[in-house]
Amino acid sequence: MFFQSAYTDVTPAEALVMIQEEKAVLTDVRESSEYAESHIPGAVLLPLSVLSEKAEEVLPDPSVPVLVYCRSGVRSVKAAKILASMGYKEIYNLKGGFLAWPYERT
C-alpha cells in the first residue's frame, strides 16, 4: 500500500512564491503573543492550541491549499497532521519555520 505524507515541506523561497501567487492560505500556528510580536505579512492566526476547535471557522474550505508555519517547524508539523486528519487535502509546512524566514516580516 502506498503511503502519502499528510503534508509537503517547502523552503522559504518556495513558500514566498506560493504567497505571492496566492496559491495557499498562509496560516501561523503560533500563539497570539508570538503573532503580535512579528509574523509573515498576510498570515492568518490559528494557534495550534485551538486548531482542532477553530480550523473550520478560519479555514472553511478543506480543498483550498494551506501553508502552515510556527517558530521553528515543530508545531506546524503537528498542525499539518491535525489538518490532514480533519480532511484538509493540500497542506504545506514551512521548513524551519519563522526562524528560517529571510523575507519581510510584520
Side-chain angles (χ1 to χ4, degrees):
M1 184 168 150
F2 177 76
F3 174 76
Q4 185 176 350
S5 176
Y7 63 91
T8 303
D9 281 327
V10 293
T11 65
E14 291 169 325
L16 181 62
V17 171
M18 293 175 73
I19 294 164
Q20 290 172 335
E21 295 180 357
E22 299 179 2
K23 294 198 175 195
V25 177
L26 179 61
T27 308
D28 188 327
V29 298
R30 301 175 302 157
E31 293 302 314
S32 57
S33 59
E34 295 171 284
Y35 181 87
E37 197 174 290
S38 185
H39 58 273
I40 298 172
V44 296
L45 178 63
L46 181 59
L48 179 63
S49 60
V50 296
L51 187 131
S52 296
E53 297 83 30
K54 301 274 186 180
E56 291 175 349
E57 178 184 321
V58 177
L59 306 167
D61 186 347
S63 67
V64 171
V66 178
L67 171 58
V68 292
Y69 77 92
C70 63
R71 181 178 173 271
S72 64
V74 175
R75 286 176 282 179
S76 57
V77 166
K78 290 178 185 175
K81 290 177 180 177
I82 292 168
L83 289 170
S85 74
M86 294 176 72
Y88 289 83
K89 307 284 184 238
E90 199 174 338
I91 307 159
Y92 299 91
N93 175 55
L94 176 59
K95 193 173 183 179
F98 193 61
L99 291 175
W101 186 253
Y103 309 110
E104 182 184 357
R105 297 169 180 227
T106 300

